[in-house]
Amino acid sequence: FLVEGPQVLEEIRNIKEPIEVYVKESYQGPLDPALKVTRVQDDLFNQITPTVQSQGVLALYEIETRKLEKLPQGLILYLDGISDPGNLGGLIRSAVSFNVSAILLSEDCVDIYNPKVVRSTMSAFFKLPFYQLNHEDLLTFTSHQLLAADLSGQDLDDYVWEENSILILLCGYCTRSVSYTHLRAHETLR
């Protein structure tokens, strides 16, 4: 998958090195001389970049397939049906800010490797693990605390979270709530 922009690339390199870096021939900005860079003609670069107004730097990263075997301790965010790439990116950035341990994505979420998702996460994309998990598989974790965010749920101030446990917070897209099946089976918060 591609990551666009020199600043994001530098931030991510503290976490993971790219497979390859492509730079627009006319690019004059700073780049680490240790990077292996391939210069590309401007017209060809404009065809491969996922943005209209490119910053002139593209980094290629390997797509990692992750299998969820065990949930990590702490707060886990289950995102259900998030279809807007910018919203998913914003949720990932927020999850990093709130020290979420992992993100679980329903099968009907936008592709996590969508260029707009990656760009809107900035470097947060690389700072926590995420897994694709369908609704049925989520229910195998019912021995843990599952909470669904819902406008008609109880106040978060009234909820007591058990320290050193696993809490899965289910969040749906703004125009639709978390799947009704989950709301019937678990406590809801607003």
Side-chain angles (χ1 to χ4, degrees):
F1 68 98
L2 293 173
V3 172
E4 203 260 338
Q7 291 172 320
V8 175
L9 171 61
E10 280 309 306
E11 251 188 78
I12 294 170
R13 285 188 63 216
N14 295 325
I15 302 165
K16 185 176 177 124
E17 285 291 323
I19 297 170
E20 201 158 345
V21 177
Y22 303 99
V23 178
K24 199 175 196 176
E25 208 168 49
S26 63
Y27 178 76
Q28 298 296 315
L31 275 179
D32 184 343
L35 275 174
K36 181 184 174 252
V37 171
T38 302
R39 292 247 173 215
V40 179
Q41 292 177 346
D42 287 11
D43 59 335
L44 179 59
F45 188 92
N46 292 336
Q47 290 177 32
I48 62 172
T49 186
T51 58
V52 176
Q53 297 294 323
S54 173
Q55 297 178 38
V57 177
L58 288 173
L60 180 66
Y61 284 88
E62 182 179 350
I63 291 178
E64 297 177 7
T65 36
R66 298 178 177 140
K67 185 173 178 356
L68 180 62
E69 295 176 15
K70 181 181 172 192
L71 290 174
Q73 290 286 101
L75 177 60
I76 296 172
L77 190 58
Y78 181 83
L79 301 175
D80 184 25
I82 309 299
S83 58
D84 182 271
N87 288 350
L88 181 55
L91 286 165
I92 292 171
R93 281 195 323 272
S94 296
V96 169
S97 297
F98 284 99
N99 294 320
V100 167
S101 302
I103 292 182
L104 309 177
L105 302 158
S106 70
E107 292 176 317
D108 56 348
C109 276
V110 65
D111 181 9
I112 191 78
Y113 295 105
N114 177 304
K116 289 181 180 180
V117 172
V118 175
R119 188 172 52 254
S120 65
T121 66
M122 306 298 286
S123 62
F125 185 86
F126 291 90
K127 294 181 179 174
L128 53 84
F130 52 85
Y131 305 92
Q132 198 86 38
L133 194 67
N134 65 37
H135 297 139
E136 292 74 32
D137 289 341
L138 175 67
L139 294 177
T140 63
F141 296 108
T142 54
S143 62
H144 304 294
Q145 298 173 80
L146 266 65
L147 300 175
D150 185 67
L151 290 174
S152 60
Q154 79 182 61
D155 220 26
L156 185 57
D157 294 336
D158 300 334
Y159 186 77
V160 179
W161 178 28
E162 298 169 24
E163 291 278 332
N164 301 318
S165 65
I166 297 173
L167 171 65
I168 303 172
L169 178 60
L170 292 77
C171 296
Y173 192 57
C174 59
T175 57
R176 68 180 185 93
S177 295
V178 175
S179 297
Y180 184 71
T181 316
H182 301 309
L183 289 176
R184 286 184 304 162
H186 305 288
E187 294 186 65
T188 59
L189 300 175
R190 62 180 153 111

